[in-house]
Amino acid sequence: MNRTLRRAVIAGNWKMNKTPAEAEALLAETLPLVANAACDVVACVPFVDLPAALQAAAGTNLKIGAQNCHFEASGAYTGEIAAPMLAEMGVQYVIVGHSERRTYFGDTDKTVQQRLAAALKAGLTGILCVGETREQREQGITDELVAMQVKIALQGVAKEDLHRVILAYEPVWAIGTGLTATAEQANEVCGVIRQTVASLYGDEAAAGLTIQYGGSMNAKNAAELLAMEHVDGGLIGGASLKAADFAAIVAAASR
Ligand code: 13P
């Protein structure tokens, strides 16, 4: 983390967990534990939890995000949620391109690019997820693959909107597996992401970009990962569902 150049952001990705009542309870437990954070704190909750979460977090330092948005502003897309709908509610962040959306729901680099564009157009901050599978890492194509994912997703993103983009490096093999990238592995790929952004927008813009690591980040390994130059925060799955664990990660990012 380089605090003089960029903001540290710890975001929980609750995935498909917690009913609205459970969301309210988890936030009630989490909020006092993260109230003194010296980093940005976000909870990305299921769509139906958004009203309860926004209400619970109102007036606090915790911001609310969604986990996906559609790329059109409205239309005949049964079951989908558009970015302007989220923005109107007071949602400030949205995850795009999570590997679970890419794997199970047909998201491609192209639709991820479209979703990010829609999110930015609606005034949201996009948390753009990229990362390689185990097979791709073994093939030695991690750097090229991640650079390609970044380049495609950022197509059409204006330089003045880049401050509303957070990159999240999430190696697919580390998500929900208990396997964590080593701090060196995480730093290396986050560095590749920063270089890629520098090639598109220049060194200064890249230096100000927040890049998170995600993949079995927890209360124990957070400090070591966050100590790395290019790791500016975390996108937290499982550990964000336990208030004490999430708060410990926020504390690690606040030191
Ligand atoms: P886990 O922290 O459960 O591995 O999930 C990471 C993730 O996918 C966050 O988006």
Side-chain angles (χ1 to χ4, degrees):
M1 252 181 349
N2 185 328
R3 292 192 160 284
T4 52
L5 290 175
R6 42 197 180 253
R7 301 185 70 80
V9 183
I10 300 295
N13 173 9
W14 290 10
K15 308 192 179 184
M16 196 177 72
N17 293 290
K18 305 294 174 186
T19 66
E22 290 167 349
E24 208 179 314
L26 177 56
L27 286 171
E29 209 187 327
T30 304
L31 284 164
L33 303 180
V34 302
N36 296 318
C39 63
D40 290 0
V41 186
V42 183
C44 296
V45 307
F47 287 129
V48 296
D49 293 352
L50 287 170
L54 286 162
Q55 197 178 10
T60 77
N61 62 324
L62 187 141
K63 305 288 189 289
I64 298 300
Q67 299 171 10
N68 185 34
C69 67
H70 196 263
F71 35 83
E72 295 294 344
S74 63
Y77 300 100
T78 301
E80 291 298 302
I81 303 289
M85 298 174 181
L86 300 172
E88 191 183 294
M89 295 180 79
V91 172
Q92 288 173 268
Y93 292 79
V94 62
I95 297 171
V96 294
H98 193 279
S99 67
E100 287 151 17
R101 304 274 342 155
R102 296 180 192 251
T103 303
Y104 306 131
F105 303 103
D107 234 351
T108 64
D109 287 329
K110 180 67 185 162
T111 58
V112 171
Q113 182 262 328
Q114 293 172 312
R115 288 181 209 281
L116 179 62
L120 295 176
K121 191 172 177 200
L124 302 170
T125 290
I127 301 177
L128 166 63
C129 300
V130 297
E132 82 289 1
T133 63
R134 181 197 300 270
E135 195 183 15
Q136 289 161 337
R137 177 162 281 269
E138 286 167 1
Q139 288 167 343
I141 59 170
T142 297
D143 293 3
E144 294 93 325
L145 181 100
V146 166
M148 184 187 76
Q149 290 175 329
V150 170
K151 278 186 183 169
I152 296 176
L154 292 179
Q155 266 169 20
V157 174
K159 192 172 180 177
E160 59 266 28
D161 288 334
L162 198 64
H163 69 281
R164 284 191 289 114
V165 177
I166 293 171
L167 256 295
Y169 168 52
E170 297 214 313
V172 179
W173 50 270
I175 294 176
T177 57
L179 292 174
T180 315
T182 63
E184 290 72 25
Q185 285 172 328
N187 193 51
E188 190 195 326
V189 184
C190 290
V192 168
I193 292 170
R194 199 175 305 285
Q195 252 173 26
T196 305
V197 171
S199 75
L200 298 171
Y201 297 94
D203 289 343
E204 198 184 329
L209 178 77
T210 294
I211 305 179
Q212 300 174 319
Y213 167 79
S216 301
M217 197 172 188
N218 58 41
K220 287 204 178 79
N221 60 27
E224 193 188 349
L225 287 157
L226 292 166
M228 305 309 286
E229 164 74 16
H230 294 295
V231 180
D232 309 311
L235 187 54
I236 321 298
S240 71
L241 300 172
K242 294 184 190 129
D245 289 4
F246 186 65
I249 299 169
V250 170
S254 298
R255 279 196 283 273

